[in-house]
Amino acid sequence: MNAYADAIARLVADPALHKAQGAAGHAKAQTYQWDAINQKVIDTYLEVMDRRAKA
């Protein structure tokens, strides 16, 4: 947990790092196939709900 808090503190203390990391994250997110990812999430939720209903 300390490493996570330290990373957040670095981003807060360094606006240029914050901006660079944000831009890198946005660029990476643009490479994902969000429709397929969202469908997989929905399918998983439906599967879990179906299993719970049968239990």
Side-chain angles (χ1 to χ4, degrees):
M1 192 58 119
N2 287 340
Y4 181 74
D6 291 343
I8 297 297
R10 279 193 305 277
L11 290 172
V12 170
D14 186 344
L17 177 63
H18 178 186
K19 186 174 181 177
Q21 291 289 314
H26 183 73
K28 179 66 175 176
Q30 294 299 311
T31 69
Y32 295 146
Q33 295 179 1
W34 289 108
D35 288 341
I37 292 167
N38 291 334
Q39 188 61 57
K40 181 63 175 171
V41 170
I42 291 169
D43 291 346
T44 301
Y45 276 120
L46 292 173
E47 181 182 321
V48 169
M49 290 171 41
D50 186 51
R51 275 192 264 150
R52 291 188 120 196
K54 292 177 181 176

